[in-house]
Amino acid sequence: MTTDDDAVPAAATPTVGEAVVDRMLDHGIDTVFGIPGKQTLPMNRALADRPSARFVVARHETAVSHQAWGYAETREPGTMAATVVIPGPGDMNAMNGLKNALNDTTPLLHVAVETEHEVRGGDGIHETPPDTYDNVVKENILVENAEGAAAAIDAAIRTAREQPQGPVRVGIPKDFLASRVEQAEVAPVDPRTQQRPDEDAVREAAAVLAGANEPVIVAGGGVRRAGASDELVAFAERLDAPVVTTYKGKGTIPEDHPLSAGVLCGASSTELRDLLARSDAALAVGSDLDAVATGHWSVDLPDDLVHVTLGADDIGEGYEPAVGLVADARLTLDALRESISEDPSAASGSERAASVRAADRARIDRLLDSREGDEPLTSPGTLRRVRDAVPEEAIVTADAGGFRLWTLVTFAAFGPQSYVNPGSWATMGTGVPSAIGAKLANPDQDVVALAGDGGLMMCIHELHTLAAEDVDVTVVALNNDDYAIISEEADRTYGFDPGTYGWADTGLDLVAIAEGMDVDAERVTDGDAVGPAVERAMAVDGPALVEVITDPQEPQASEWMTREL
């Protein structure tokens, strides 16, 4: 029996906002990206009161989910950040990045402060039906009672970290956040249980691969997500097989490794495609072999295909495998390596990989050698110089757009968390926001964002976030004053004038914009000046931008890397 003297004062019970923040911190989530609104202020107060938490104020909600995505992409598997947005417009602006994270199986916690509970369904200010978000997140959790808010956070984080990982949205009515109610407790559960491969299927797969004379490996983002880069390299060396990575697998094998053969993407060379087609067995691991990486499944893969993925529905989609395994990439690679002897295949994997690398380099050399001295710089030439200037251990984020294809085939990556770019969602405007997340996740590493002017203009506001939050990121912007990949297709296929979708008459001054946002900046028009400018920018104590003027009429990577030479 209790008396009034025994009752806990109401003030001793944390607010729901405080309970939510504390639960996030309990799970190791200490970095939150967002834009504050009146609805989020109880959570903002709680974040401000906790020294171990950091709230990063963006300039547009589209950026916050890209920032959290970049944070997770550059840390060990399962590490994640959170986003907090206001109802309606804020929540819907963030949807783009949520879908990007969903396609890339990147874990993040998205806290959406919703319209008041009693108003839900009544078309209150900023209200959108909660099920609007169902298809852009792994799970959409709605808090129906204030007492269940912290438990919902527990469930969301667990779900986000369970394989296959992904973003989870938690909708909390704004009137709950300032209330003081006891929170329901949930027993802890380890969400990082790995899906073990079936032993019989492993033996069958090992027999297929070991019996091949010219095997090949296709490694996807699941290798990164499983933390399986070492296992990938070890198995490739055991099998003596070239490794081709997907967009999201880039960097899972260091691209200076003798077995690294390149990236399967829209700019894959004829020689790389021939390598895959002529192989007599293939292991596709950590990839769903989606339509983007495979050119709508036009890339020829061997009939003796072993496909390892966490998505059961991906097995048989586009390619019919000889053996399909729904399993964790790291555990499967380990099991396969133990099941195969150290006898190498008949054809040297390193020689086959080197042949593709040499052919790719010769193609790019031929493009660069064809240029006159007074012509504008090209993307591949610029990217080579940037690569030489940026330390191998730096983290590089690449925006989407036409220049990204050149980046995939010319800018080497040397580790699984060293290179960030969007996968099949391919959304533009990610380069700078993801670099912000990457730098906050890795404060002691250099971080460089690569962007074209098209992608950068879709997140230009985040240059101000760099300055305001004092985030030390170097932005290298290739500016050709054109949506060149669109203009080229419009010209070549539909008879439009060259540069139809460019701005030759209204040039863009990125240096002026950056300096207006208190970001150090300089412009480069000469190839020999690119490297020194990037080195100076990286030496700046704070954010800096290098604008490189490039040629809008240069060949597109997808066309140049497959043309007859």
Side-chain angles (χ1 to χ4, degrees):
M1 178 178 180
T2 61
T3 66
D4 289 343
D5 291 338
D6 297 323
V8 177
T13 301
T15 66
V16 171
E18 291 169 338
V20 165
V21 170
D22 288 337
R23 197 60 56 92
M24 289 162 48
L25 291 171
D26 289 344
H27 287 280
I29 299 176
D30 58 9
T31 303
V32 181
F33 302 96
I35 295 179
K38 291 183 178 180
Q39 301 92 333
T40 70
L41 288 177
M43 279 192 68
N44 293 116
R45 179 69 268 170
L47 287 164
D49 288 342
R50 282 143 181 80
S52 60
R54 179 168 185 176
F55 182 69
V56 180
V57 181
R59 298 293 294 193
H60 197 278
E61 289 93 349
T62 301
V64 302
S65 40
H66 294 325
Q67 290 165 348
W69 166 74
Y71 187 102
E73 287 278 291
T74 58
R75 290 289 300 273
E76 57 272 12
T79 304
M80 55 195 285
T83 55
V84 176
V85 297
I86 66 167
D91 208 0
M92 294 191 78
N93 282 336
M95 287 177 73
N96 184 22
L98 294 176
K99 175 61 173 170
N100 182 48
L102 179 67
N103 282 27
D104 287 357
T105 63
T106 305
L108 64 88
L109 173 66
H110 179 68
V111 179
V113 181
E114 294 188 344
T115 303
E116 298 94 328
H117 186 260
E118 63 270 19
V119 177
R120 186 183 277 170
D123 201 20
I125 186 170
H126 293 334
E127 183 180 8
T128 51
D131 62 1
T132 299
Y133 310 95
D134 285 353
N135 294 320
V136 298
V137 289
K138 183 180 178 182
E139 187 170 344
N140 185 15
I141 300 173
L142 305 181
V143 176
E144 298 290 352
N145 298 293
E147 291 84 352
I153 296 296
D154 282 331
I157 295 171
R158 181 174 65 251
T159 299
R161 286 174 170 162
E162 285 172 345
Q163 295 180 327
Q165 297 175 350
V168 176
R169 177 184 183 272
V170 179
I172 306 177
K174 69 176 186 180
D175 51 315
F176 287 179
L177 289 178
S179 64
R180 296 182 182 273
V181 295
E182 293 291 343
Q183 293 295 301
E185 294 296 333
V186 178
V189 176
D190 184 1
R192 305 186 195 190
T193 302
Q194 297 164 321
Q195 181 69 45
R196 302 193 68 84
D198 178 80
E199 292 182 2
D200 290 339
V202 168
R203 283 192 289 270
E204 185 179 357
V208 168
L209 296 169
N213 290 319
E214 295 188 347
V216 69
I217 298 171
V218 178
V223 175
R224 297 177 63 247
R225 197 67 60 223
S229 287
D230 290 344
E231 289 77 8
L232 170 67
V233 172
F235 179 68
E237 292 173 346
R238 172 68 58 87
L239 192 63
D240 194 22
V243 178
V244 176
T245 65
T246 67
Y247 288 82
K248 295 303 300 182
K250 185 176 172 70
T252 52
I253 182 171
E255 292 186 291
D256 57 356
H257 191 284
L259 290 172
S260 173
V263 180
L264 183 60
C265 64
S268 296
S269 66
T270 300
E271 291 78 10
L272 185 142
R273 293 167 188 261
D274 286 347
L275 168 73
L276 294 169
R278 293 173 181 170
S279 298
D280 54 358
L283 168 66
V285 57
S287 172
D288 56 5
L289 296 176
D290 63 43
V292 174
T294 63
H296 295 151
W297 305 287
S298 64
V299 173
D300 288 333
L301 294 178
D303 291 337
D304 279 346
L305 170 65
V306 176
H307 190 184
V308 181
T309 179
L310 287 170
D313 291 339
D314 296 326
I315 302 289
E317 180 68 31
Y319 298 93
E320 189 66 36
V323 184
L325 295 92
V326 178
D328 174 76
R330 184 178 64 80
L331 295 179
T332 305
L333 287 164
D334 257 349
L336 286 171
R337 182 172 57 83
E338 292 173 359
S339 300
I340 292 179
S341 71
E342 297 192 35
D343 294 332
S345 55
S348 170
S350 59
E351 290 178 6
R352 295 162 63 209
S355 176
V356 175
R357 294 196 308 271
D360 286 1
R361 186 169 189 88
R363 282 180 174 273
I364 296 167
D365 286 345
R366 183 163 179 173
L367 171 60
L368 300 183
D369 291 344
S370 70
R371 310 290 291 187
E372 300 293 340
D374 57 350
E375 288 186 275
L377 300 177
T378 63
S379 296
T382 298
L383 290 165
R384 277 188 176 180
R385 291 178 168 97
V386 175
R387 177 69 278 180
D388 289 342
V390 173
E392 288 188 4
E393 63 272 15
I395 294 171
V396 176
T397 68
D399 213 314
F403 98 101
R404 178 176 71 144
L405 293 178
W406 278 124
T407 305
L408 285 165
V409 298
T410 63
F411 196 96
F414 300 104
Q417 277 80 45
S418 68
Y419 185 90
V420 179
N421 75 142
S424 61
W425 190 235
T427 181
M428 296 174 70
T430 62
V432 173
S434 59
I436 292 171
K439 183 63 179 181
L440 294 181
N442 304 273
D444 296 328
Q445 285 184 256
D446 291 321
V447 176
V448 176
L450 303 177
D453 58 291
L456 182 58
M457 286 301 290
M458 294 184 188
C459 61
I460 195 73
H461 37 78
E462 296 312 300
L463 291 180
H464 194 250
T465 301
L466 284 176
E469 297 284 341
D470 193 24
V471 182
D472 188 2
V473 165
T474 297
V475 180
V476 180
L478 281 62
N479 183 5
N480 59 15
D481 280 328
D482 202 333
Y483 286 138
I485 194 170
I486 308 302
S487 290
E488 188 271 342
E489 177 74 12
D491 176 11
R492 176 166 49 87
T493 305
Y494 297 97
F496 283 84
D497 291 336
T500 292
Y501 297 108
W503 292 271
D505 297 329
T506 52
L508 178 66
D509 189 342
L510 294 175
V511 169
I513 294 171
E515 290 179 341
M517 295 187 184
D518 204 21
V519 173
D520 189 273
E522 69 173 293
R523 177 180 292 111
V524 174
T525 59
D526 176 71
D528 291 339
V530 171
V534 171
E535 291 171 353
R536 285 192 296 273
M538 295 184 70
V540 171
D541 185 16
L545 177 141
V546 177
E547 178 185 21
V548 184
I549 304 302
T550 59
D551 184 4
Q553 302 301 318
E554 71 182 15
Q556 294 300 310
S558 55
E559 188 272 332
W560 183 265
M561 298 301 287
T562 56
R563 67 165 53 176
E564 292 288 338
L565 294 179

